[in-house]
Amino acid sequence: MRTISMREAINEALHQEMERDKKVFVLGEDVGKMGGDFGITKGLWNRFGAERVRDTPLSEAAILGVANGAAFAGFRPVAEIMFADFITECFDQLVNYSAKAHYMFAGQLKAPLVVRTATGAGFRAAYHHSQNIESWFLNVPGMTIVAPATPYDAKGLLISAIRDDNPVIYLEHKLLYDLKGEVPEESYEIPIGSAEVKRKGNHVTLVSSMRMVHLSLKVAQKLSQQGIEVEVIDMRTLMPIDRETLFASVAKTGRLITVFESARTGGYGSEISAILGEELFEFLQAPMKRVAAYDVPVPFAPSLEDYILPDEKKIEEAVRETV
C-alpha cells in the first residue's frame, strides 16, 4: 500500500467527497487559491472552483453562521477554522445552533456540517495558537468530536464525518500533519465512535488520542523490554465514547492511565476516569492516573512549553507508579 502524509490523506478525503457529492463544499480563511494555511485544501479551488471552495472574511462567527445556514438547507459544508484557539469566536454558533438544531425541531432539521481545525502545542506558536481544545466541547450534547492520530484514520474518519448528519468537530494536531502512513487510494469510512487498540498488553491500559498516542506507543515499546506490557488505546472519536473497548481493556489489565494533551483539570482524561470509576471500580487494582498538560497557558519559550506538556518521561513514571 502507498504511504502518504496525514496532510495528504485529509486533502484526498476532501477531494473524493466533493467528487462524490455536489452538496459538499469547503469554506474558510484562505482555503481557495492559497490552499489553506497548512496546505490542507491545496488543489480544491482549481478542481471545483470558487463556488464550492469559498474564501471567507477573517471572521470565525461568519464562517460558522454560513455553514449552519447551508447545513440546515441541505448542504454538507466543511468549515475550516485555521487555528482551534479561535473556535471560541464561533462558540455560540456551534453550541446553541449546530448542536441543538436536530433536537429543537424534533428531528425535522439536520446539521450535517464538519468543522476542521488545527489544534495542539509543540508548534512554538505561543498562547493563542497552541491550545489543545479536545475537552472544550465535551459538555455540549449533540456535538461529535473526532481526533485522528494516523493518516489512515484521518482519511476514513473525515469521510465518515462529512457523511454524518450530525455536527462534527474534526481535530487535526499540527505536529502530525507530516506524519506518514499507509492509506488506501479508494474511499473508505471508519465508524465514528469506534476506538482502536493500537497495542495489546495485560499490565496497564493507556488511553490517549492524536499525538499522545505515538508517545504512549514509544513508552509501551520501551517498557515491554523490561517485562511491563502496556495496552494502548487510541480513542479516535472523543465523543461519542467507545465504552465497550475501554471496559474490555481495563477489565483485563485492572489499571488505567489517561494521556491527553489538554489541561489536566476538567480534561478528557477526567471524564474517562469518571466513567471507569463508576462502571468498573471492582476491577481496578490500583488508583487511576491522569497524564496531562499543567493548568497554565501554553508558554512562548520552547523550554517552558515542553515542560508543561505530557512527554514520554511523565508517561513512563505514571506507568511505573501504577504497576
Side-chain angles (χ1 to χ4, degrees):
M1 192 184 298
R2 66 180 179 150
T3 299
I4 62 174
S5 68
M6 181 177 285
R7 185 194 320 274
E8 293 168 320
I10 297 170
N11 179 271
E12 186 168 86
L14 291 171
H15 270 92
Q16 291 180 351
E17 284 303 285
M18 292 180 74
E19 288 279 6
R20 184 190 66 86
D21 186 350
K22 292 184 179 180
K23 291 183 178 181
V24 178
F25 72 97
V26 172
L27 71 159
E29 300 158 9
D30 296 323
V31 299
K33 290 183 180 180
M34 179 179 168
D37 196 51
F38 294 98
I40 303 300
T41 57
K42 182 179 180 180
L44 292 177
W45 188 86
N46 292 330
R47 172 65 186 85
F48 300 103
E51 283 294 309
R52 296 181 64 195
V53 186
R54 290 180 171 265
D55 282 326
T56 67
L58 187 65
S59 171
E60 289 78 11
I63 294 170
L64 259 296
V66 171
N68 273 336
F72 298 160
F75 290 90
R76 292 186 176 272
V78 181
E80 178 179 302
I81 302 300
M82 190 181 294
F83 284 91
D85 314 62
F86 298 101
I87 209 166
T88 53
E89 296 292 328
C90 53
F91 207 78
D92 179 53
Q93 292 284 356
L94 285 166
V95 172
N96 287 321
Y97 296 92
S98 308
K100 293 183 173 66
H102 188 74
Y103 186 84
M104 287 193 302
F105 292 94
Q108 298 178 71
L109 193 64
K110 297 177 181 179
L113 63 94
V114 177
V115 182
R116 291 184 37 255
T117 190
T119 189
F123 195 64
R124 312 312 189 198
Y127 331 96
H128 296 107
H129 297 79
S130 301
Q131 297 169 94
N132 191 306
I133 72 163
E134 60 194 3
S135 59
W136 287 9
F137 290 94
L138 287 181
N139 204 236
V140 182
M143 189 66 69
T144 297
I145 309 171
V146 171
T150 67
Y152 178 85
D153 288 347
K155 179 178 177 180
L157 285 169
L158 181 54
I159 289 173
S160 294
I162 293 172
R163 297 180 185 181
D164 199 284
D165 286 335
N166 299 298
V168 179
I169 305 294
Y170 183 91
L171 301 178
E172 303 165 7
H173 199 291
K174 305 179 196 76
L175 295 190
L176 296 181
Y177 276 139
D178 293 325
L179 177 72
K180 293 189 175 182
E182 294 184 341
V183 179
E185 292 185 36
E186 66 272 12
S187 176
Y188 60 92
E189 294 183 71
I190 292 176
I192 287 176
S194 172
E196 181 183 18
V197 178
K198 291 289 189 183
R199 187 183 192 282
K200 291 187 179 295
N202 54 18
H203 291 141
V204 61
T205 298
L206 280 186
V207 180
S208 57
S209 71
M210 294 186 285
R211 179 171 172 257
M212 294 298 108
V213 172
H214 302 282
L215 298 187
S216 297
L217 287 170
K218 288 180 180 179
V219 172
Q221 179 63 31
K222 175 183 177 180
L223 293 177
S224 177
Q225 300 170 5
Q226 303 171 29
I228 302 174
E229 295 299 336
V230 178
E231 183 147 299
V232 178
I233 296 178
D234 175 6
M235 290 304 296
R236 299 198 297 191
T237 300
L238 303 183
M239 186 63 67
I241 296 172
D242 182 354
R243 296 178 179 227
E244 183 177 340
T245 299
L246 290 175
F247 291 175
S249 179
V250 175
K252 176 179 65 174
T253 66
R255 297 176 175 87
L256 171 71
I257 299 172
T258 61
V259 185
F260 292 91
E261 189 181 302
S262 56
R264 177 185 175 92
T265 302
Y268 192 75
S270 300
E271 180 61 25
I272 296 298
S273 299
I275 292 172
L276 270 298
E278 290 174 344
E279 301 289 342
L280 292 182
F281 184 78
E282 67 272 24
F283 288 91
L284 295 174
Q285 301 176 34
M288 297 176 285
K289 286 188 176 294
R290 293 172 292 164
V291 180
Y294 296 148
D295 292 337
V296 297
V298 178
F300 178 69
S303 58
L304 291 178
E305 182 177 22
D306 291 341
Y307 175 75
I308 67 112
L309 294 174
D311 56 24
E312 293 177 41
K313 180 180 179 181
K314 294 172 184 175
I315 298 171
E316 181 178 345
E317 288 175 351
V319 173
R320 292 187 180 283
E321 290 173 5
T322 302
V323 301

